[in-house]
Amino acid sequence: KMAGSSTPWIGSAYLFLQSTCKTIVLPSLYESSQKKPSVFKALKLALADSTGSVNGVDMLKVHCSHPHLIVQLKFCKQENCRRFLQSYREGALQESLQNHLQLSLAMTTVPLEMELRAGNEHLDNMLKDEDRCLECIYREKPDRLRDEEITELEECLKSLIVHQSINNNTAVKGCASLNFPSLPCPSQGGSLSPQVTFIFQGQQFANRTLTPDDHQKFAKLVSKKWKQVGRSLQKNCRALRDPVIDNLALEYDREGLYEQAYQLLLRFIQSEGKKATIARLIAALEENGLISLAEELLGLHSNEDCS
């Protein structure tokens, strides 16, 4: 059978990705030095969603083979591989990756076609037989170590998180505008803090650090309720404890509501660093009935609704 209890379960597979939209060519995006980190981020998050863990599946290399982007995957635990297969079979992985690419690349939609292979086996033809798929993946041992480029992208992601926690406004060379989510580093084991995903209106979203775009949208749209949101955030943020919020109201009274709200969130971001996540802000908005603003921040409004 597959592996004895004393032997680690290791398998490998290739995920073939192709956009069905002629104007979106995934290999070209990945070959672009500007877009590559954004595509990598989307892949990382979608794979984390599929296994329920940042370290559930490892990317060894991303190949550009027009029109396909081919991701070489390594699984170190059978249960992670099983979760991945279930997510793939049910279409959750495809939906997750489409959403993450849409967010990362700031596009309206990124429709995808996927194919999964292990060696010469096309696993799409046998997805209903999960054990057989597992056997095929287990038979295919990784033929390489992780590519240096993948390691560099991982390091870039980690360094940005660390840098953001020191000073959220400082640009990071090569990665300044990417706004990577706060994923735990592999060395931290399984402690997911903050959580990688969260649920809003029955949908799962990637948790990430707040971006400048989030910051501006919040300040523009929260209006008079910025104080209430501040008091909700205050419960877990020392920097917003009384009398800070009232002082901000007085200090920026002449500049108006936008600046008051902007300064409130700036205090939150600067004090919390990588813990200043979208999940915390969404929870505070929900608590105060600001569902429309929460939807706006999560990109749930269609382009027609956006000003």
Side-chain angles (χ1 to χ4, degrees):
K1 207 57 185 165
M2 275 187 271
S5 57
S6 60
T7 315
W9 196 98
I10 293 176
S12 180
Y14 286 90
L15 183 63
F16 286 71
L17 306 169
Q18 180 181 356
S19 170
T20 55
C21 176
K22 288 181 180 179
T23 58
I24 301 171
V25 185
L26 290 178
S28 298
L29 288 170
Y30 195 78
E31 285 167 340
S32 156
S33 57
Q34 286 182 312
K35 300 288 187 185
K36 178 178 291 187
S38 298
V39 177
F40 175 79
K41 175 180 72 169
L43 288 168
K44 178 90 178 169
L45 283 171
L47 290 170
D49 287 345
S50 75
T51 60
S53 164
V54 177
N55 307 316
V57 54
D58 197 14
M59 280 186 276
L60 297 182
K61 185 172 175 64
V62 178
H63 305 263
C64 293
S65 177
H66 291 260
H68 291 102
L69 197 66
I70 308 170
V71 188
Q72 186 175 4
L73 303 173
K74 175 187 175 184
F75 298 91
C76 291
K77 288 184 180 177
Q78 185 180 329
E79 58 264 35
N80 286 336
C81 189
R82 194 180 289 277
R83 277 197 289 265
F84 170 86
L85 285 169
Q86 288 167 352
S87 176
Y88 182 85
R89 185 178 66 238
E90 293 163 4
L93 174 63
Q94 182 175 353
E95 188 179 346
S96 174
L97 184 52
Q98 285 177 168
N99 290 339
H100 288 309
L101 283 168
Q102 187 178 339
L103 285 167
S104 295
L105 297 167
M107 292 180 170
T108 50
T109 181
V110 185
L112 291 176
E113 278 183 356
M114 288 185 161
E115 190 181 339
L116 190 62
R117 298 183 199 173
N120 295 322
E121 300 285 354
H122 290 242
L123 302 186
D124 298 74
N125 300 329
M126 57 177 91
L127 287 173
K128 288 181 180 177
D129 190 345
E130 198 172 276
D131 287 336
R132 191 178 163 203
C133 288
L134 286 166
E135 286 276 7
C136 293
I137 292 171
Y138 178 69
R139 273 204 309 269
E140 289 299 315
K141 299 303 180 200
D143 59 357
R144 62 180 301 126
L145 296 172
R146 189 160 65 166
D147 194 70
E148 283 182 13
E149 182 177 68
I150 299 288
T151 304
E152 283 172 18
L153 286 162
E154 292 268 13
E155 289 302 318
C156 182
L157 188 151
K158 280 190 265 179
S159 68
L160 184 74
I161 293 162
V162 173
H163 209 108
Q164 279 184 330
S165 68
I166 298 166
N167 180 357
N168 206 67
N169 296 324
T170 305
V172 181
K173 184 182 177 185
C175 310
S177 61
L178 302 177
N179 302 308
F180 276 119
S182 50
L183 293 171
C185 305
S187 60
Q188 292 173 344
S191 59
L192 302 184
S193 179
Q195 76 266 37
V196 176
T197 59
F198 66 100
I199 303 294
F200 175 74
Q201 294 185 344
Q203 290 188 57
Q204 194 173 36
F205 291 91
N207 199 11
R208 52 180 173 77
T209 48
L210 293 169
T211 68
D213 189 48
D214 297 327
H215 197 164
Q216 288 174 355
K217 278 183 182 173
F218 170 80
K220 183 180 172 185
L221 300 171
V222 71
S223 192
K224 293 177 182 177
K225 284 201 170 182
W226 70 269
K227 274 189 176 184
Q228 283 114 297
V229 176
R231 294 209 158 84
S232 294
L233 292 172
Q234 180 188 75
K235 296 168 191 172
N236 299 307
C237 177
R238 284 187 179 179
L240 295 180
R241 298 275 160 87
D242 290 331
V244 172
I245 294 171
D246 289 331
N247 288 346
L248 284 173
L250 288 170
E251 192 177 344
Y252 295 96
D253 181 46
R254 296 178 78 176
E255 282 88 345
L257 292 172
Y258 175 93
E259 192 60 32
Q260 289 169 330
Y262 188 90
Q263 292 296 328
L264 170 86
L265 204 58
L266 182 63
R267 294 288 175 96
F268 177 67
I269 290 168
Q270 287 179 333
S271 70
E272 297 296 294
K274 66 180 180 181
K275 293 179 183 174
T277 61
I278 189 74
R280 290 175 71 183
L281 182 56
I282 295 299
L285 293 173
E286 275 193 285
E287 197 173 303
N288 293 284
L290 294 165
I291 304 301
S292 181
L293 176 48
E295 290 172 345
E296 182 74 39
L297 292 175
L298 294 173
L300 292 177
H301 285 167
S302 65
N303 289 341
E304 288 81 0
D305 296 334
C306 298
S307 54

